[in-house]
């Protein structure tokens, strides 16, 4: 019965039933209907040739979640043809009207054959082309995200819109009017920090009139405090081309940019330079070219005198400020509680109309009881706005939002740790989770760090960007989630972290420009640094390898750089308490990582995360990392390293429990040593588009609990050996566009609880009968078409829930955009 149910669900999906019946009818009749033998042989020959094409068209229509409208005409023709052929088979030579009927039906058979041939010459070619283009469109939508992610911090995409915006409509109208003036080629949008400049510019870029005028020639670049002209120009080029240019000098970069913009012109061009700091006025001048319809918009906290066209953004008026505050705060634990209007008025007025203050302070009150509102307001005075002109006062007042209950006071530490990453850039959520777990929740699951990340988001202290809304809401998958912190809040985090002397700080955040080390570093003379968290950020001019620092208590090391080659500092070797190392290359090209062998002296190292690193010798010169439990490789060049590996796992990685490989475009195959990682519990491989197969040896990972293979578009099948993964509880193969079937013996995965198969466009054939043996399977997450395959199986798995989700690819998440 089960086989019949499953088979019946798929027969129609193989190819049109009408076509199949006609094809079979002709094959059966061609030897019997002597009168029409020649006509039927012609028809059979046509149908034999068309059958594979019809089958493919039908399958692709199902895979693309389209109804059968494309083949409906052909199927109707087949149904009529079947009846015609059956009639012809009954005509005998001795019939009284034989001559008339033979002539009539021979003509009808020829018409049927001609119609089918015409359909194939015209309709099927057009349909095949459209189907192919639609498939490519869906694939390119996925790959477009990957491609833009592949250039990481080099995206020129406009920032995603905020979830709630109020009070900017008039500003938008006025700003747009000013920008459209013929005489305005450069427009400065000036306002204090936290006033909403970037929000307003984002609204401008998404405005229909602006998009209609500039179309896809809107370039958004974040300049920030320490701008790099060559990197900015590389971002602009990457927005229009996959070509990665390397410039000889700033002058060369500007010359090539002018050439690019001249090629785009006279089509209107809008260049937005966001967050320009004092001292960078000369940088702006370099981007001014005499090109028709070319306009520049600059946002800054400073109203630079040298620029004539300015628009000053004012804080929100009281009515709009109240609306914004209510949106972010007015959720009481006890809905019956009453908050006096005067208290709300006092809080809103103290925020001075600044959106960032209203959001963050509002987050402080979200979900709090009425007693908290009253007691807090009593502490705060409304004699002046929290945003006085003095920055120190501003930061001190914003710090009021960091009031936590005793059981959540650790979240303040989490907040300050965010400053370990460069300003204006997206922070991978998993990097934070790794760091926080090892610093504050050692020997515990990541769930505690994840919960506190949600708390920071709820309090509006960070914004969380999900590439897919379904990615992490079902199974705690955060590899494709990012976090962004407002510059003002980052300033607050640094301000709070810098209260103690250098040697006494819990976290030490160091930004190095060129080879100019901070004075305290040069003067330390072997003085011990007591920080648990050390973050060092360097720019593209940094080349020093002789700097030294004594920080034996460091447990988390964050290294941010931009050069083509980076050498791990020698002092790392003496940081014997290190538990987590995060190395991120924010440059344009992949970087070589040197001195990796230093890590062998770190007995407590649990987690390593490398981003945009070329590691050809990572496994050829094995470094024993006996305490390492998790390794994450993001946008790394690793194919050569894995392909020639001689790693002895039992010696080098005896305790490795988790491997994450994301966006590594040169990964052709998994390392030969993978099957030796017997303690491995989680294996995640996502967005590795050249990976076409998994090794049979994967079945030897007997302790594997989670296997994720998201968006590996060339992966054609899962090896049958996975039937041996008896501890596997979650299998995720979402967006694996090449997979056409599940393993025959998938039912042997007796502990499988979740299966994710969203967007497996070619997976629409019969599910293996063994799926009925997945008695522990509780949840299948898939799209609508894949859900149909599970309908007959659900009768045998009473606890199974099939969750149908709509693929939601968020193109605004782009890292560091």
């Amino acid at each position: 019965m089960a086989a019949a149910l499953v088979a019946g669900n798929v027969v129609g999906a193989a190819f049109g039933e009408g076509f199949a019946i006609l094809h079979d009818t002709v094959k059966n009749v061609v030897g019997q209907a002597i009168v029409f033998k020649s006509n039927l042989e012609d028809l059979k020959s046509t149908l034999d040739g068309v059958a594979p094409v019809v089958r493919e068209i039908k399958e692709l229509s199902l895979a693309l979640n389209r109804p059968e409208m494309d083949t409906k005409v052909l199927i109707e023709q087949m149904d009529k043809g079947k009846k015609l052929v059956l009639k012809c088979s009954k005509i005998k030579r001795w019939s009284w009207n034989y001559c008339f009927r033979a002539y009539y039906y021979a003509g009808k058979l020829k018409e049927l054959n001609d119609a089918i041939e015409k359909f194939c010459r015209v309709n099927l070619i057009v349909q095949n082309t459209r189907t192919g283009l639609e498939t490519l469109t869906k694939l390119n939508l996925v790959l477009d995200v990957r491609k833009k992610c592949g250039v990481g911090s080099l995206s020129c995409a406009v920032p995603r819109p905020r979830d709630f915006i109020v009070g900017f409509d008039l500003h938008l109208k006025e700003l747009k009017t000013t920008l459209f003036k013929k005489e305005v080629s450069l427009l400065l949008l000036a306002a204090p920090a936290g006033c909403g400049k970037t929000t307003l510019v984002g609204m401008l870029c998404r405005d229909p009139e602006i998009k209609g005028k500039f179309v896809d020639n809107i370039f958004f670049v974040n300049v920030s405090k320490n701008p790099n002209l060559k990197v900015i120009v590389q971002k602009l080029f990457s927005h229009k081309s996959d070509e990665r240019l390397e410039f000889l000098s700033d002058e060369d970069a500007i010359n090539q940019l002018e050439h690019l913009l001249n090629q785009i012109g006279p089509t209107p061009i809008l260049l937005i330079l966001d967050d320009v700091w004092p001292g960078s006025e000369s940088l702006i001048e370099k981007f001014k070219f005499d090109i028709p319809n070319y306009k520049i918009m600059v946002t800054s906290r400073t109203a630079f005198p040298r620029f004539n066209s300015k628009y000053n953004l004012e804080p929100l008026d009281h009515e709009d400020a109240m609306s914004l505050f209510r949106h972010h705060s007015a959720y009481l634990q006890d809905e019956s509680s009453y908050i006096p209007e005067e208290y709300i008025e006092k809080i809103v007025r103290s925020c001075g109309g600044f959106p960032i203050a209203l959001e963050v302070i509002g987050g402080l009150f979200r979900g709090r009881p009425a007693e908290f509102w009253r007691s807090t307001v009593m502490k705060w005075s409304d004699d002046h706005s929290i945003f006085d002109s003095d920055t120190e006062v501003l930061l001190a007042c914003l710090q009021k939002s960091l009031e936590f209950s005793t059981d959540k006071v650790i979240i303040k530490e989490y907040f300050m740790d965010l400053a370990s990453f460069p300003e204006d850039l997206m922070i991978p959520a998993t990097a934070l989770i790794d760091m926080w777990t090892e610093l504050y929740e050692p020997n515990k699951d990541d769930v505690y760090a994840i919960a506190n990340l949600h708390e920071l988001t709820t309090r509006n202290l960070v914004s969380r960007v999900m590439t897919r809304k379904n990615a992490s809401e079902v199974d705690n998958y955060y590899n494709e989630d990012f976090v962004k912190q407002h510059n003002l809040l980052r300033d607050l985090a640094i301000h709070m972290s810098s209260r103690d002397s250098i040697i006494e700080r819990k976290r030490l955040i160091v930004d190095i420009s060129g080879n100019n080390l901070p004075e305290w570093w040069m003067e330390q003379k072997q003085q011990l640094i007591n920080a648990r968290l050390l973050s060092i950020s360097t720019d593209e001019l940094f080349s020093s390898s002789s700097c030294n620092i004594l920080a034996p208590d460091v447990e988390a090391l964050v290294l941010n750089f931009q050069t083509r080659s980076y050498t791990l500092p020698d002092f790392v070797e003496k940081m014997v308490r290190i538990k987590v190392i995060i190395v991120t290359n924010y440059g344009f090209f992949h970087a070589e990582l040197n001195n990796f062998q230093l890590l062998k002296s770190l007995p407590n190292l649990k987690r390593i995360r490398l981003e945009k690193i070329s590691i050809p010798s990572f496994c050829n010169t094995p470094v024993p990392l006996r305490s390492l439990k998790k390794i994450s490789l993001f946008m790394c060049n690793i194919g050569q390293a894995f392909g020639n590996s001689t790693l002895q796992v039992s010696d080098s990685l005896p305790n490795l429990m988790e491997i994450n490989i994301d966006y590594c475009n040169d990964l052709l195959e998994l390392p030969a040593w993978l099957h030796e990682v017997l303690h491995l519990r989680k294996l995640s491989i996502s967005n590795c588009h050249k990976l076409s197969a998994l090794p049979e040896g994967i079945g030897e990972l007997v302790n594997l609990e989670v296997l994720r293979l998201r968006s590996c578009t060339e992966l054609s099948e899962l090896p049958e050996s996975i039937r041996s993964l008896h501890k596997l509880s979650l299998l995720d193969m979402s967006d694996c566009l090449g997979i056409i079937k599940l393993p025959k013996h998938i039912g042997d995965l007796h502990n499988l609880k979740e299966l994710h198969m969203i967007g497996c466009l070619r997976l629409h054939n019969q599910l293996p009968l063994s799926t009925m043996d997945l008695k522990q399977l509780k949840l299948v997450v898939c799209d609508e078409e894949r859900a149909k395959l599970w309908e007959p199986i659900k009768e045998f798995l009473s606890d199974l829930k099939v969750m149908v989700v709509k693929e939601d690819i968020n193109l605004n998440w782009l890292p560091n955009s």
Side-chain angles (χ1 to χ4, degrees), residues 609-676:
R609 188 181 195 278
L610 305 178
E611 179 171 339
K612 207 182 291 186
I613 302 294
S614 293
I615 43 177
S617 60
F618 174 60
C619 296
N620 294 334
T621 56
V623 176
L625 301 171
R626 294 187 174 87
S627 297
L628 192 68
K629 293 185 176 181
K630 177 180 179 180
I631 184 168
S632 300
L633 305 175
F634 188 83
M635 294 194 292
C636 290
N637 283 340
I638 60 174
Q640 183 180 350
F642 281 178
N644 302 316
S645 170
T646 58
L647 186 68
Q648 296 296 319
V649 173
S650 58
D651 294 331
S652 300
L653 301 167
N655 293 296
L656 188 61
M657 300 171 65
E658 182 172 352
I659 298 176
N660 293 296
I661 304 174
D662 301 316
Y663 298 95
C664 295
N665 293 327
D666 67 337
L667 180 66
L668 302 178
E669 60 182 4
L670 294 180
W673 48 262
L674 181 65
H675 70 282
E676 300 177 27

Side-chain angles (χ1 to χ4, degrees), residues 203-220:
M203 292 177 64
L204 180 79
C205 294
R206 286 182 289 272
D207 180 83
E209 285 188 73
I210 293 294
K211 291 175 69 175
K213 179 178 177 64
F214 297 100
V215 195
D216 60 348
N217 293 325
I218 300 176
F219 300 82
F220 185 100

Side-chain angles (χ1 to χ4, degrees), residues 50-68:
V50 172
V53 181
V54 174
R55 181 183 298 112
E56 184 177 357
I57 292 294
K58 180 74 174 181
E59 291 176 350
L60 287 173
S61 295
L62 291 172
L64 291 170
N65 297 323
R66 284 212 312 264
E68 297 179 21

Side-chain angles (χ1 to χ4, degrees), residues 512-560:
I512 300 176
S513 178
N515 291 312
N516 302 312
L517 299 178
E519 289 186 12
W520 63 262
W521 195 326
M522 302 298 293
E523 298 172 356
Q524 65 171 321
K525 297 179 181 179
Q526 306 302 312
Q527 195 170 22
L528 289 178
I529 301 297
N530 294 313
R532 294 182 65 204
L533 167 61
L534 175 62
S535 168
I536 303 176
S537 299
T538 56
D539 59 21
E540 79 288 351
L541 300 176
F542 180 77
S543 61
S544 176
S545 59
S546 59
C547 54
N548 187 35
I549 188 173
L550 292 177
D553 293 332
V554 167
E555 298 178 37
L557 177 63
V558 179
L559 299 173
N560 309 304

Side-chain angles (χ1 to χ4, degrees), residues 49-253:
V50 172
V53 181
V54 174
R55 181 183 298 112
E56 184 177 357
I57 292 294
K58 180 74 174 181
E59 291 176 350
L60 287 173
S61 295
L62 291 172
L64 291 170
N65 297 323
R66 284 212 312 264
E68 297 179 21
M69 295 302 294
D70 293 333
T71 51
K72 184 177 179 181
V73 174
L74 180 60
I75 291 172
E76 290 176 352
Q77 193 75 42
M78 297 303 156
D79 186 53
K80 294 178 181 178
K82 177 199 67 173
K83 297 175 181 177
L84 174 64
V85 171
L86 290 175
K87 286 183 179 179
C88 291
S89 67
K90 297 177 181 178
I91 296 176
K92 309 299 179 183
R93 287 182 181 273
W94 53 82
S95 302
W96 68 272
N97 57 349
Y98 161 74
C99 293
F100 170 77
R101 297 179 73 188
Y103 175 80
Y104 176 80
Y105 283 109
K108 287 293 183 182
L109 285 172
K110 186 176 186 304
E111 287 179 7
L112 173 62
N113 189 62
D114 291 345
I116 294 173
E117 286 184 341
K118 179 182 177 181
F119 191 93
C120 295
R121 287 197 308 270
V122 181
N123 299 64
L124 288 186
I125 291 175
V126 173
Q127 179 184 321
N128 235 351
T129 301
R130 190 183 77 177
T131 301
L133 289 174
E134 185 169 344
T135 302
L136 285 174
T137 299
K138 288 196 171 191
L139 175 59
N140 286 337
L141 181 60
V142 176
L143 295 183
D144 188 45
V145 180
R146 319 298 189 246
K147 181 188 77 172
K148 291 178 180 177
C149 175
V151 296
S153 59
L154 302 166
S155 166
C156 286
V158 178
R160 68 190 185 105
R162 303 184 76 84
D163 63 342
F164 185 79
I165 300 175
V166 64
F168 284 88
D169 292 342
L170 179 60
H171 294 304
L172 175 61
K173 182 178 180 180
E174 294 174 344
L175 190 66
K176 186 168 58 174
T177 300
T178 305
L179 183 66
F180 277 154
K181 291 180 179 179
K182 186 176 181 180
E183 67 273 14
V184 174
S185 59
L186 189 151
L187 177 59
L188 172 65
L189 172 60
C195 210
K197 299 182 293 296
T198 302
T199 298
L200 179 57
V201 169
M203 292 177 64
L204 180 79
C205 294
R206 286 182 289 272
D207 180 83
E209 285 188 73
I210 293 294
K211 291 175 69 175
K213 179 178 177 64
F214 297 100
V215 195
D216 60 348
N217 293 325
I218 300 176
F219 300 82
F220 185 100
V221 181
N222 197 290
V223 177
S224 298
K225 191 174 184 178
N226 299 305
N228 182 321
L229 189 142
K230 286 187 286 188
V231 171
I232 291 175
V233 175
Q234 284 168 336
K235 291 182 181 182
L236 298 174
F237 268 89
S238 71
H239 191 67
K240 280 295 181 182
S241 169
D242 290 334
E243 185 179 6
R244 296 192 174 192
L245 299 179
E246 193 164 7
F247 306 114
L248 300 175
S249 62
D250 286 355
E251 183 180 3
D252 178 40

